[in-house]
Amino acid sequence: TSCTWFLNIIQNEFRSGKIDLESTMKLLEKLQIPFDYIHVKHVFKKTIDKRKDNAINIEDFRAIYRTIVHRSEFHELFCVYSQKNKFLADTQLLDFLRKEQYETEACEMSALEMILKYEPIEEVRKRKQMSFEGFVRYMSSEECSIFRKDHRTVYQDMNHPLCDYFISSSHNTYLISDQLIGPSDLWGYTSALLKGCRCVEIDCWDGSNNEPVVYHGHTLTSKIPFHSVIKVIDKYAFVASDYPVVLSLENHCSPEQQEVMADYLENILGDKLLTSTIGDAQVTQLPSPEDLKFKILIKNKKVGTIEEGLLRRGLESHGEVVEISDSDSVSSDEDETEDKAPLFPNRGITKRKCDHRSSPPPRKKPKMKKIKIAIALSDLVIYTKSERFVSFEHSLANQKCYENNSIGELRAQNFVRESAKDFISHTTRFITRIYPKGTRTTSSNYNPQEFWNVGCQMVALNFQTLGLQMELQNGKFLDNGGCGYVLKPNFLRNLHSTFTPENVGMNGNPMSLSIKLISGYQLPPSSLSKTNKADPLVHIEIYGVPQDQIKKKSSVLKSNALSPRWDETFSFTIQVPELALIRFCVEDEVSLVSNEFLGQYTLPLLSLKRG
């Protein structure tokens, strides 16, 4: 049956006897098989080796098809459940789904639906069976992705206050290269929002003709008009996710241009812009992502309280400016320069007594500077008021639930080491944003995991920079349907939590994980190899609390990028699975001392599908 079906589809193409590489590709497409051009080209060239013409006959095509499609590991599995028959009966398929894929809910109906969806041969479909061709198509489909199907849509409770979520956040979103001389580009905002990013940063400066501009101040990065940025945000804010977008303003504009900014925000964003509280004017807790669906929030300095701002709403505030005091040694969103100064200014002290329960030592007395804020812009700040961070004690005593802090990575790393318990207590109450140190001029990133471990909501990264850190970011936010909000574990939401990353205590929920690395398929060939023969190996890495961090690697398989077969098993014990990410990284062993990156996939440990 399979043979007749196969010949019926392909024989027309061979009427003139032979076909070339391009026709071979088209025929594989017609057979609805996922294939990689480079690998097919390589197998094709091997087939015509030493021939005069660059064409293959019908038998050659069948051989190429088998090489690409009929994978031995699939065939072995098929034979086990079909009891060496050529077809799987619906009952056998059901057996496979329950035993191998752990689909305990599967019933005869599920098996029939799969046969209808993946079996290409009509005759076999009618008999309620699945051929090996259908089995291969099922095993190569999204349905067999390692990522749990129920985590591909929003499945978490979205009615908690905003501070209970990890929020996908970008740093200096307008930059698409380095931090000093590279271009600023609207594409930075488009691509971040399309990846589900929910907090973007806008550095605003006075421009000519009373038009505010966006760029990295005091550098040679190019400038883009503020209104163009807002138009792009208006267009792309809710393409990837319905949940709220926060515009984090680093505002260096004069009061006159701040008013221009306020006008653009109101006129371009219209109803999307949140300009008043939801329900009660008295704010005792932050609203939820569900409450704020399709809303854009402004994160900026604010004059006075939300209630005072709401009373002014509707009154003419044009030209009204208020001066507020700020410090130029403790950073806020207004100016991310903190990390260029030493962390502990008094370098003369060589010994320092450490009290692990307290915040780090006091810094120099801050010089106070006056910041002028236009009331029109201030009143657009509702639930996300930027407040300079003094200390955990100060926040606990004085900070309101709608006030948030930005902390530079070096200072935040110090808090993780010295005062993790206080840090977690802080992040259970207030949205906390972490940003890269100023010396990362090449737009490199820090490891976000250590800040997620203490519950920081907005761990802002340079989205334009590929690498491990962004792979962890992308992997973490695949969760919950890629909506940009991931509910923090209970021990990072509970105000009286005793959890710290170094001392998991009662909050541990140990889990045994066993991963069998079976095979690879059509891996990207090495760029350093003239043939497509990579020597692949796989790293399996866990990122999470310090005691869960571990890396294991497979053996190296020589000269096989098409279908390497490992059959190796790896075992892990994870103490805090709720915070763990698992990363599979495939490399080509170029020499004994160096490997070339071929590809990777990172996902939350609890989003791993069994089977």
Side-chain angles (χ1 to χ4, degrees):
T1 315
S2 295
C3 193
T4 317
W5 162 81
F6 188 75
L7 288 172
N8 283 344
I9 290 179
I10 69 168
Q11 59 194 6
N12 262 358
E13 311 296 323
F14 289 93
R15 277 185 312 231
S16 55
K18 290 189 172 185
I19 62 169
D20 61 8
L21 176 61
E22 201 177 323
S23 303
T24 301
M25 299 290 181
K26 281 183 182 157
L27 202 43
L28 286 171
E29 269 173 32
K30 195 173 171 184
L31 287 156
Q32 294 176 312
I33 279 297
F35 64 87
D36 177 85
Y37 176 83
I38 294 169
H39 281 290
V40 175
K41 184 179 169 186
H42 184 72
V43 176
F44 184 92
K45 286 200 163 162
K46 229 166 131 184
T47 307
I48 60 165
D49 193 30
K50 301 190 180 76
R51 288 190 198 165
K52 300 235 175 357
D53 58 347
N54 280 338
I56 57 169
N57 61 29
I58 199 162
E59 278 310 309
D60 294 331
F61 181 80
R62 281 178 76 169
I64 289 173
Y65 180 81
R66 279 197 207 100
T67 303
I68 297 288
V69 178
H70 289 190
R71 296 164 60 181
S72 61
E73 62 273 36
F74 286 175
H75 198 255
E76 287 159 23
L77 206 49
F78 184 82
C79 288
V80 168
Y81 285 90
S82 67
Q83 289 159 0
K84 298 193 177 164
N85 285 330
K86 289 190 173 170
F87 304 102
L88 275 174
D90 55 354
T91 50
Q92 292 170 324
L93 180 57
L94 183 57
D95 200 27
F96 165 79
L97 290 175
R98 285 178 179 163
K99 286 184 185 165
E100 293 289 336
Q101 304 297 61
Y102 296 93
E103 291 186 18
T104 47
E105 311 278 294
C107 58
E108 266 178 65
M109 201 57 189
S110 329
L112 291 174
E113 279 170 8
M114 270 183 50
I115 288 168
L116 286 172
K117 190 171 178 183
Y118 296 106
E119 178 50 58
I121 307 167
E122 197 178 347
E123 217 176 298
V124 179
R125 264 201 316 270
K126 282 179 177 165
R127 293 201 306 257
K128 297 182 183 175
Q129 291 178 326
M130 185 179 260
S131 66
F132 183 54
E133 292 294 342
F135 188 70
V136 166
R137 280 158 179 75
Y138 160 69
M139 291 296 287
S140 310
S141 74
E142 264 294 289
E143 221 148 317
C144 288
S145 161
I146 196 168
F147 193 86
R148 280 176 61 160
K149 197 175 179 180
D150 56 336
H151 286 198
R152 286 182 226 167
T153 51
V154 174
Y155 69 93
Q156 295 175 342
D157 182 354
M158 301 305 280
N159 293 297
H160 288 260
L162 280 179
C163 58
D164 281 359
Y165 296 85
F166 294 117
I167 303 169
S168 177
S169 303
S170 150
H171 170 252
N172 287 359
T173 316
Y174 49 90
L175 294 178
I176 55 169
S177 180
D178 65 81
Q179 306 275 317
L180 295 178
I181 57 172
S184 302
D185 200 293
L186 294 170
W187 174 247
Y189 291 95
T190 307
S191 77
L193 290 167
L194 290 177
K195 283 179 188 156
C197 178
R198 298 291 87 188
C199 177
V200 295
E201 187 177 14
I202 311 176
D203 285 16
C204 315
W205 297 79
D206 280 357
S208 49
N209 306 322
N210 208 28
E211 285 289 347
V213 292
V214 174
Y215 84 113
H216 199 195
H218 312 302
T219 68
L220 300 174
T221 57
S222 59
K223 298 172 183 178
I224 36 181
F226 178 78
H227 66 83
S228 304
V229 170
I230 303 307
K231 280 178 182 162
V232 163
I233 290 168
D234 178 59
K235 185 173 178 184
Y236 292 102
F238 302 110
V239 174
S241 167
D242 301 349
Y243 291 101
V245 170
V246 177
L247 308 188
S248 183
L249 302 184
E250 191 176 306
N251 187 359
H252 302 271
C253 288
S254 61
E256 295 75 26
Q257 296 209 13
Q258 288 180 40
E259 289 198 342
V260 176
M261 287 165 60
D263 283 346
Y264 282 137
L265 288 166
E266 295 208 63
N267 295 332
I268 295 169
L269 300 177
D271 290 345
K272 293 190 187 105
L273 183 67
L274 187 77
T275 55
S276 64
T277 53
I278 290 168
D280 223 353
Q282 278 297 120
V283 181
T284 52
Q285 81 163 22
L286 285 172
S288 69
E290 194 62 40
D291 295 330
L292 295 168
K293 261 185 165 180
F294 301 112
K295 288 293 179 189
I296 294 174
L297 284 70
I298 305 303
K299 178 163 123 50
N300 189 40
K301 286 280 180 217
K302 182 177 179 66
V303 176
T305 65
I306 293 183
E307 296 80 22
E308 289 163 1
L310 291 179
L311 290 173
R312 277 193 296 264
R313 215 58 204 144
L315 302 174
E316 178 52 58
S317 61
H318 190 75
E320 276 191 57
V321 177
V322 174
E323 268 196 343
I324 61 169
S325 297
D326 197 26
S327 136
D328 62 1
S329 82
V330 181
S331 169
S332 74
D333 267 3
E334 297 303 302
D335 195 3
E336 295 181 354
T337 52
E338 165 216 336
D339 287 322
K340 291 173 187 168
L343 189 59
F344 300 109
N346 191 347
R347 284 290 182 207
I349 300 172
T350 50
K351 287 182 182 171
R352 181 165 56 81
K353 196 173 169 188
C354 271
D355 179 353
H356 287 270
R357 290 157 305 180
S358 64
S359 293
R363 307 160 127 223
K364 280 186 197 162
K365 192 168 186 344
K367 292 182 216 153
M368 299 315 275
K369 60 178 180 181
K370 299 285 187 189
I371 294 178
K372 289 182 175 173
I373 295 192
I375 289 294
L377 184 59
S378 167
D379 286 352
L380 296 182
V381 177
I382 308 295
Y383 294 117
T384 39
K385 176 183 177 183
S386 299
E387 196 59 36
R388 72 184 181 88
F389 180 74
V390 180
S391 69
F392 295 134
E393 295 79 0
H394 181 272
S395 291
L396 197 54
N398 302 288
Q399 201 161 313
K400 297 185 171 69
C401 68
Y402 56 82
E403 294 175 332
N404 59 74
N405 313 112
S406 279
I407 304 175
E409 68 168 286
L410 293 181
R411 196 174 180 203
Q413 278 167 344
N414 197 63
F415 289 148
V416 170
R417 281 195 303 272
E418 306 280 334
S419 350
K421 199 158 181 279
D422 292 337
F423 205 165
I424 289 169
S425 169
H426 182 84
T427 60
T428 60
R429 293 167 169 83
F430 311 111
I431 291 178
T432 304
R433 178 175 171 273
I434 309 296
Y435 60 86
K437 60 188 176 187
T439 50
R440 291 187 181 275
T441 52
T442 58
S443 300
S444 62
N445 281 313
Y446 52 77
N447 183 340
Q449 186 68 47
E450 63 178 319
F451 302 121
W452 291 327
N453 286 347
V454 291
C456 295
Q457 294 84 349
M458 295 179 169
V459 180
L461 296 179
N462 293 305
F463 270 47
Q464 71 273 34
T465 308
L466 300 175
L468 171 66
Q469 297 82 3
M470 269 312 289
E471 287 158 10
L472 296 179
Q473 156 78 23
N474 293 336
K476 184 163 192 74
F477 288 100
L478 280 176
D479 202 359
N480 206 23
C483 76
Y485 286 83
V486 172
L487 187 63
K488 298 199 288 184
N490 190 43
F491 54 79
L492 291 177
R493 307 195 309 261
N494 176 357
L495 298 181
H496 308 292
S497 178
T498 56
F499 171 86
T500 68
E502 292 289 350
N503 183 9
V504 171
M506 301 291 289
N507 298 288
N509 182 16
M511 174 178 148
S512 295
L513 172 68
S514 173
I515 289 183
K516 185 177 180 189
L517 173 65
I518 302 170
S519 61
Y521 180 53
Q522 300 190 51
L523 301 179
S526 165
S527 60
L528 306 173
S529 154
K530 296 249 179 324
T531 67
N532 71 335
K533 291 188 174 176
D535 296 344
L537 71 149
V538 180
H539 297 267
I540 301 177
E541 304 165 352
I542 306 285
Y543 294 85
V545 298
Q547 69 185 104
D548 285 340
Q549 308 262 14
I550 188 170
K551 298 181 181 186
K552 298 191 177 188
K553 66 176 180 178
S554 72
S555 54
V556 178
L557 293 187
K558 293 288 178 192
S559 303
N560 190 349
L562 176 64
S563 53
R565 181 88 186 255
W566 283 277
D567 288 322
E568 294 176 25
T569 301
F570 300 86
S571 297
F572 303 87
T573 301
I574 315 293
Q575 297 302 318
V576 189
E578 298 91 336
L579 286 172
L581 296 171
I582 183 164
R583 178 174 184 259
F584 300 89
C585 179
V586 186
E587 291 182 337
D588 172 26
E589 188 182 68
V590 180
S591 69
L592 289 175
V593 288
S594 72
N595 295 340
E596 187 198 3
F597 173 83
L598 295 182
Q600 70 84 41
Y601 185 62
T602 304
L603 71 161
L605 186 73
L606 295 179
S607 296
L608 268 182
K609 181 183 171 186
R610 296 176 76 192

